Amino acid sequence: MKKEDIEKIEEQMKLANEGLPEKERQLFSDARPTSVPPLNKYLEKFLNWGRAQSLWFLGFGTGCGAVELRPLMTSRFDISRYGIAGRPTPRQSGVFIIGGYASMKTVKRIVRSYEQMQGPKFVIALGSCTINGGMYYDSYNTINRIDHYIPVDVYIAGCMPRPEAIIAGFNKLKEKIKTGKADGMNKYAENFDWYKKNQKQIIKDWNMPDFNW
Amino acid sequence: MNILIKIIYAIISVIVAIVWGLTLGGIVRKIYARVHGRYGPPIWQPFLDIIKSHGKRVSISHGIMFYLGPVFRFGGGLGTYLFIPVIYGSTVFANFSMAGDLLLVMYFIFFGQLGMALGAGEGGHPYSPLGIARGLSQMSTFELPFSLAVIAVAIQYNSLNITTIVAAQQGGILNWTLFTNPFAVIAAMISLLGMNMHSPFSLVLAPQEIPIGPPIEMNGSFLATLQTNRGLFGAAKLVLFMNLFFGGATNLPIMMIKTFLIYLVSVIIGASFPRFRPEQSFRFFLKWPTIIGIISIIFISYF
């Protein structure tokens, strides 16, 4: 392939960042997310073990399910004994818990927070509302399926799931991470256009860059 | 050849310090959990957190200073540790102790914080400068009683060499600075509360207030470097206090017991008291510990 053709394709691959005003576009990167292949077999296995033993979830309550996260940290359920802790910044956290229904406004924040997290990152969808809409299935301002907008690793059904159910969900996630099946970050990068299309259908006032914060 | 062996010894010494510092961190987390009535994370959780942070596949950077921040911080921890003789009379753990190393160590304690301030400032998150402003102000205030205590110790032993100070305290518990110069030890131990940044002086990382504080944008390996440094720097500070005020250590188990007990003072106070507001903390350090520090100098010079 000629050098000019490669440059042309690279130009097409760049993100438009159309939501931003012209003068702000240069402040943000226009690179797309790339899928990162796993390292060699044994090293990746070791790292997956380490990732499973230390899960930091983002302290962002996106719905009523967030109320079930508080008892997890206190003395009755004490989730820290499994190496799980809350983290108030998306840069350092690796697990995103979608706490129940996600309204149109919240989806925008969910996408922003999810994209700011550094991979490998995992998503736990809590409650029936994230699976099929639950009791808000016909609401005008909530979405029905969260996995149309970000990739989900573990679902916890129920309305509301008890803290025990959340601990069971975390243990399920740990198993998935150890076997290397929790690969939402690469899934998001590979199906980036599809996710963006779905997100932009819902979020009407898209005044943010397409990716990269 | 001599310097090569010295370097190998230093590497062993640094690894031991990191492992011990991180284990101490794990033990302290467990103690806090038991105080809260929880079971708590395993003692080796800090090691797992570091493996996890290094295992991140992507990592975002905000510029050159953002890279250098954690490097400076780790360099500060390494510099602090490498000039303190850890075990009195041991060749492996003697590190690079020399005449006047006490001043160098005090400089290095400050150095890491300044580097981190530059690096974290480039992250662009509003909580970073907030945490830095709090951290540097508090640092300046608790350095004052600590410096007064160090001056009192230097007058007492007529030396700025840590090895000489440790040597002068050998031969019985009553030779420790704790008993020969109690005012200096009180002032320094209060400033250690600020240095360890447990409650009531946990202004910098203050959860629920400015979550995470300066390293809020640090991720992946940047964060792992900071976590490793927390182990190393934590151990270095405790070893310095052990050497200056509690008679040093002649073997590894004694060093572990003494550093743990010194750390426990911070933990007991941290588990019992709520957090100060920044201005309360600054005023506290400038009031009582400073007065006690001045008394210690007068005490050691004239009595």
Side-chain angles (χ1 to χ4, degrees):
Chain A
M1 208 186 282
K2 279 182 194 170
K3 199 182 168 189
E4 291 155 17
D5 293 343
I6 296 171
E7 278 173 3
K8 213 173 185 180
I9 291 168
E10 277 177 354
E11 193 60 41
Q12 283 168 354
M13 286 294 285
K14 280 181 182 170
L15 295 170
N17 284 344
E18 280 160 341
L20 295 170
E22 196 68 54
K23 61 175 183 188
E24 280 180 20
R25 280 184 205 176
Q26 61 209 7
L27 298 175
F28 292 90
S29 166
D30 51 9
R32 298 164 68 90
T34 48
S35 102
V36 183
L39 300 166
N40 78 52
K41 196 178 158 193
Y42 296 104
L43 193 56
E44 187 67 19
K45 221 171 182 175
F46 171 69
L47 287 180
N48 277 338
W49 170 82
R51 283 164 191 154
Q53 300 300 319
S54 160
L55 293 171
W56 289 351
F57 64 83
L58 180 62
F60 173 26
T62 61
C64 49
V67 83
E68 300 292 332
L69 299 178
R70 273 73 181 177
L72 280 178
M73 291 178 236
T74 51
S75 51
R76 182 157 176 200
F77 296 103
D78 182 27
I79 203 153
S80 69
R81 65 202 149 115
Y82 300 109
I84 301 165
R87 209 74 183 163
T89 162
R91 293 287 189 220
Q92 297 177 3
S93 41
V95 184
F96 197 174
I97 301 177
I98 309 294
Y101 68 86
S103 66
M104 307 292 191
K105 270 186 167 180
T106 320
V107 170
K108 190 173 174 182
R109 276 77 188 170
I110 287 175
V111 169
R112 285 182 69 160
S113 305
Y114 180 75
E115 288 179 353
Q116 286 184 50
M117 283 161 63
Q118 305 299 309
K121 47 193 171 185
F122 318 106
V123 177
I124 293 179
L126 192 64
S128 309
C129 303
T130 55
I131 301 171
N132 58 8
M135 64 187 280
Y136 299 104
Y137 74 98
D138 59 351
S139 167
Y140 65 94
N141 70 344
T142 60
I143 52 146
N144 283 356
R145 289 185 59 177
I146 192 69
D147 74 343
H148 280 174
Y149 310 98
I150 53 172
V152 177
D153 294 295
V154 172
Y155 288 102
I156 303 169
C159 184
M160 289 305 305
R162 296 265 309 148
E164 291 96 327
I166 301 176
I167 292 175
F170 266 114
N171 287 337
K172 183 82 192 165
L173 178 66
K174 281 187 174 187
E175 278 169 33
K176 276 190 93 172
I177 295 170
K178 276 180 192 164
T179 49
K181 283 176 188 162
D183 211 5
M185 174 208 166
N186 284 348
K187 199 176 157 193
Y188 190 73
E190 280 154 19
N191 306 307
F192 187 67
D193 291 321
W194 185 75
Y195 282 116
K196 274 294 147 198
K197 197 184 95 221
N198 289 346
Q199 288 164 7
K200 284 185 177 175
Q201 271 175 2
I202 291 295
I203 305 167
K204 298 296 179 199
D205 53 336
W206 187 281
N207 54 356
M208 51 188 193
D210 289 336
F211 188 72
N212 271 316
W213 296 86
Chain B
M1 209 56 208
N2 203 7
I3 190 71
L4 259 179
I5 292 169
K6 197 90 182 151
I7 289 169
I8 292 166
Y9 284 166
I11 291 169
I12 294 171
S13 164
V14 166
I15 290 171
V16 167
I18 291 174
V19 170
W20 175 237
L22 290 175
T23 313
L24 259 184
I27 294 171
V28 166
R29 271 203 226 179
K30 198 94 180 165
I31 293 173
Y32 271 114
R34 290 298 166 96
V35 172
H36 296 162
R38 294 187 284 117
Y39 186 75
I43 285 172
W44 49 88
Q45 189 63 41
F47 296 95
L48 298 172
D49 289 345
I50 289 175
I51 294 172
K52 192 275 298 279
S53 291
H54 271 304
K56 288 279 181 194
R57 284 177 183 164
V58 288
S59 187
I60 194 164
S61 162
H62 295 277
I64 295 168
M65 276 321 293
F66 193 78
Y67 271 98
L68 289 181
V71 175
F72 277 166
R73 193 85 175 88
F74 191 71
L78 212 58
T80 313
Y81 180 73
L82 278 180
F83 291 103
I84 304 173
V86 181
I87 289 169
Y88 177 66
S90 155
T91 42
V92 182
F93 290 97
N95 288 344
F96 297 96
S97 177
M98 55 179 179
D101 52 1
L102 189 49
L103 288 179
L104 201 56
V105 166
M106 283 183 71
Y107 163 73
F108 267 120
I109 290 177
F110 218 102
F111 174 78
Q113 305 263 3
L114 291 175
M116 183 64 205
L118 283 173
E122 204 170 28
H125 197 288
Y127 286 156
S128 302
L130 219 64
I132 291 161
R134 285 169 168 220
L136 289 181
S137 324
Q138 180 169 281
M139 182 119 192
S140 314
T141 53
F142 73 62
E143 279 277 317
L144 189 60
F146 180 59
S147 310
L148 291 171
V150 167
I151 292 168
V153 168
I155 295 171
Q156 184 186 355
Y157 298 111
N158 211 3
S159 168
L160 279 170
N161 185 348
I162 300 176
T163 311
T164 317
I165 293 172
V166 177
Q169 296 178 62
Q170 299 303 311
I173 196 166
L174 287 174
N175 288 350
W176 292 5
T177 318
L178 178 63
F179 296 102
T180 52
N181 190 1
F183 293 109
V185 179
I186 294 169
M189 285 308 281
I190 296 173
S191 75
L192 181 72
L193 298 179
M195 252 186 237
N196 278 339
M197 287 193 294
H198 283 276
S199 180
F201 305 108
S202 54
L203 301 177
V204 181
L205 301 179
Q208 305 101 24
E209 211 173 287
I210 46 163
I212 311 292
I216 190 162
E217 282 285 307
M218 299 287 172
N219 54 72
S221 297
F222 300 113
L223 184 65
T225 313
L226 293 179
Q227 285 170 319
T228 315
N229 176 64
R230 193 170 294 171
L232 179 63
F233 192 55
K237 273 184 303 196
L238 296 174
V239 169
L240 177 67
F241 271 70
M242 178 189 78
N243 281 339
L244 291 184
F245 306 117
F246 298 96
T250 43
N251 55 37
L252 212 52
I254 294 281
M255 186 276 274
M256 288 176 174
I257 293 168
K258 279 187 178 174
T259 46
F260 175 71
L261 290 176
I262 296 169
Y263 200 11
L264 206 59
V265 175
S266 282
V267 174
I268 290 171
I269 291 170
S272 346
F273 290 99
R275 186 184 307 134
F276 271 148
R277 287 212 306 269
E279 72 274 14
Q280 290 171 326
S281 163
F282 308 152
R283 282 182 192 155
F284 174 82
F285 280 121
L286 291 178
K287 222 182 275 173
W288 299 112
T290 309
I291 293 170
I292 297 170
I294 294 168
I295 290 173
S296 76
I297 293 180
I298 297 169
F299 173 78
I300 210 66
S301 316
Y302 295 105
F303 295 101

